[in-house]
Amino acid sequence: MKAHVIAFESPVQKVFDILPPPREEMNDVLAILFTGPSMPTPKDLARTPLLVRRKFVLRALKWLKLNHTGYQNIDISYTNLNGYADNEPPVSIVYREQSNIVSTVTPSVFNVTGEEGIIDGDCHDPPPERPT
């Protein structure tokens, strides 16, 4: 699986006094869009940084309360935290099928898989020699 993350600045609609927010509110501030020839499998999702690991979220929130003035007055909601599953993303996933995806990034010289490119025609810049 190849992935890209795009983040757009958006106006803050709500300031939370309680963290983490309820899971049902996460779709208002976060979206996950997958495109490709097939829907991501649970194995694909397990390899992404899109999962909420409750013990790490709790550790981070406790650290922020102690070390960041902007978080000193927040309440940590264990009820909300327990509403997040450890094995799935915190928001719904939108999938759009796209079968003609071609990588636009030239692979590393250490990449052992084949390179996508033209079949016929002139190739002006041959790939560098692979180290032996």
Side-chain angles (χ1 to χ4, degrees):
M1 174 171 54
K2 295 180 183 179
H4 298 279
V5 174
I6 300 172
F8 296 101
E9 184 178 347
S10 60
V12 176
Q13 296 177 4
K14 183 175 184 179
V15 175
F16 292 97
D17 295 324
I18 299 172
L19 290 175
R23 184 171 182 196
E24 52 274 3
E25 292 184 22
M26 288 300 292
N27 282 327
D28 295 338
V29 294
L30 182 64
I32 299 174
L33 172 66
F34 275 94
T35 60
S38 62
M39 181 81 169
T41 65
K43 184 178 176 182
D44 293 331
L45 294 176
R47 296 174 33 214
T48 69
L50 307 172
L51 306 180
V52 172
R53 291 169 178 87
R54 290 189 298 262
K55 68 179 181 179
F56 294 107
V57 171
L58 180 59
R59 187 184 312 164
L61 289 173
K62 287 180 176 180
W63 186 91
L64 283 168
K65 278 185 66 86
L66 290 173
N67 297 289
H68 192 291
T69 57
Y71 289 84
Q72 287 177 349
N73 295 323
I74 65 138
D75 292 319
I76 297 174
S77 172
Y78 293 88
T79 302
N80 291 351
L81 186 59
N82 288 329
Y84 292 87
D86 277 331
N87 59 350
E88 62 186 43
V91 295
S92 58
I93 297 172
V94 177
Y95 168 69
R96 301 248 168 82
E97 184 175 0
Q98 189 172 1
S99 59
N100 61 346
I101 295 177
V102 176
S103 175
T104 58
V105 179
T106 303
S108 163
V109 295
F110 301 106
N111 189 347
V112 294
T113 61
E115 184 174 343
E116 296 172 354
I118 62 169
I119 295 172
D120 295 321
D122 294 332
C123 182
H124 299 286
D125 294 321
E129 293 294 321
R130 295 179 188 242
T132 57

